[in-house]
Amino acid sequence: MTESFTPSPEHHFTFGLWTVGNPGRDPFGHEVRPPLDPVEAVHRLSDLGAYGVSFHDNDLVPYGSPGSERDDIVKRFRRALDATGMRVPMATTNLFSRPVFKEGAFTANDPGVRRLAIRKACEATELGAELGAEVFVLWGGREGVEADAAKDVAAALDRYKEAIDLVCQHIRDRGLGLRVALEPKPNEPRGDILLPTVGHALAFIGRLQWPEMVGLNPEFAHETMSGLSFHHAVAQTLWHDKLFHIDLNAQRIGKYDQDFRFGSEGIRDAFYVVKLLEDAQWDGMRHFDAHPYRTEDAEGVWDFARGCMRSYLILADKARRFREDAEIQAALHVAKLATLAEPTTPAGGLAEIMASSPDEEALAAQGYGHERLDQLVTELILGAR
Ligand code: GLT
Ligand code: MN
Ligand code: MN
C-alpha cells in the first residue's frame, strides 16, 4: 500500500457503469448531467487506477437493440477494455426499470411477466460471460409489494427459488461459468422487498437447487437502511463462504437509499468492513455502487470516483496500523479477543463442564477495557495516532 493512497489495478477497484453514469435524476428532479458513454467511463476510470467495470445489460446495450446493433456495441466496448486493460468481473440485469416489472419480475403474480424476466436474466448472463464476467448479480428491486393482500409471500418465495434455479440451469447448460450473487435490500423502490437483509438471503440460498452456485452481494447502504451493522453482515457472509461480491457506498441509518461516496458517512463501520476484507485477504472486487451527489457537474463525477478509492486505501492503511499498534494489541489482550478463538469444550468434554463449579463472582468481576480500546480505535480513525 503506497502512502500516497493512489489507486492502481492491483487494488481491484471496480465501478458499475450506472454509478459514474448516474445522471442525477431523483424522485423530485430531472437529470442534471448528460449521459455518459460507457467507453468514456472505461477510459476515465482506467486513468484513475480502477481495475474494471460492471454493468446491467441495458447500461451497455439499450433495451430492444436489434442483434446487429448489440454486436457493434459490444465490439466497441471490448475495444475500450482491450485498450485500457480494464476488466468486467461482474454483470447484472435490469429487472426494475421497465413498466412491465411494476408488480414484480421473478415473483410477479403474472406468469407471463415471470417468464419474460427469466429470459431477460438468462440473456444477460450470456452478455456478461461474453465480456469475461465471473459473477452475476441479481438485485430484486421490484420483488416486493405495497398492498400486502396482493402478495402471498410463501408462493412468491417458491417462484423466486424457481427463477434462480432456472438462471443457474441456463448458466450450467451454456457452460458460462458464472456464480450468482443475490443482493438484499429492505425497501425502495417497493414498500417491502423480498429477501430484505443478508440474513434472509443466506437462509433462502439453502433451499435452492444448486446452493453452491449462489452467494451474496451485500450492499453497505442496504443493511444500514435497516439499522443493521454492515460489518457484521459481511462477517457472517464470509463465515458462510458466501461473499461472492460486495457493493461499497455510504448511508445514514433511517434515510432513503443514499448510495453516497464510500467513506462519506458511517466511517467507523466502513473502517471495520475494510479491516475485515483486508484481514481475511478476501480476493473479490472492491466494487463501488454509489452515486455522485446531484450537485456535481461532469467533472465532479471523477472526484467522486477518486474519493471512493482513496477512502478505501486510507482505511486499509488504518487497518494495517491497527495490527501494528502495540497499545491497541495490548488492549485487545485485556478484552480477551484471542481466547474467543479457543474452543469452549475442555479436554473432558461436556461432562467436564457439567462437573465444574465456576467462580461466577470472579468471572463477573472482570473488566474488559472496552472504553480504552474503543478510544484508541477512534483516535486511529481520526488520525491522532
Ligand atoms: C440499482 C440498485 C443497486 C444494485 C444495482 C444492481 S441496480 O442501482 O440501487 O443497489 O446493486 O442491480
Ligand atoms: Mn447495490
Ligand atoms: Mn443502494
Side-chain angles (χ1 to χ4, degrees), residues 9-68:
E10 88 213 31
H11 299 125
H12 288 170
F13 291 130
T14 57
F15 287 81
L17 287 182
W18 68 92
T19 65
V20 289
N22 183 283
R25 190 177 51 238
D26 71 18
F28 305 96
H30 300 298
E31 289 82 351
V32 293
R33 290 182 290 269
L36 178 66
D37 182 343
V39 165
E40 190 188 345
V42 167
H43 282 279
R44 295 295 299 254
L45 286 171
S46 170
D47 290 347
L48 291 177
Y51 176 83
V53 292
S54 60
F55 55 76
H56 298 90
D57 40 8
N58 307 130
D59 298 338
L60 185 61
V61 182
Y63 188 79
S65 303
S68 57

Side-chain angles (χ1 to χ4, degrees), residues 69-143:
E69 236 166 74
R70 173 203 188 272
D71 293 347
D72 288 347
I73 291 169
V74 171
K75 237 184 262 164
R76 184 170 167 266
F77 187 67
R78 193 191 293 280
R79 270 203 299 275
L81 296 175
D82 291 345
T84 55
M86 290 274 278
R87 310 288 295 271
V88 176
M90 181 275 266
T92 179
T93 179
N94 183 327
L95 296 178
F96 44 89
S97 293
R98 311 249 350 136
V100 70
F101 300 128
K102 64 188 174 191
E103 201 274 322
F106 291 160
T107 65
N109 286 1
D110 189 313
V113 175
R114 298 200 296 270
R115 289 174 195 139
L116 192 151
I118 286 162
R119 186 177 162 178
K120 189 173 193 294
C122 288
E123 286 174 355
T125 61
E126 291 169 30
L127 178 64
E130 197 178 328
L131 286 159
E134 290 172 356
V135 176
F136 186 67
V137 163
L138 283 169
W139 172 63
R142 296 285 170 196
E143 316 294 2

Side-chain angles (χ1 to χ4, degrees), residues 183 217 219 222 247 289:
E183 180 176 340
N217 177 44
E219 177 174 311
H222 298 176
D247 276 358
D289 180 12

Side-chain angles (χ1 to χ4, degrees), residues 348-358:
L350 180 58
E352 185 180 329
I353 295 180
M354 298 310 287
S356 66
S357 35

Side-chain angles (χ1 to χ4, degrees), residues 361-379:
E361 242 170 77
L363 289 172
Q366 307 176 96
Y368 294 91
H370 288 188
E371 286 290 358
R372 179 171 157 69
L373 171 62
D374 197 66
Q375 181 63 21
L376 289 169
V377 177
T378 300
E379 294 189 12

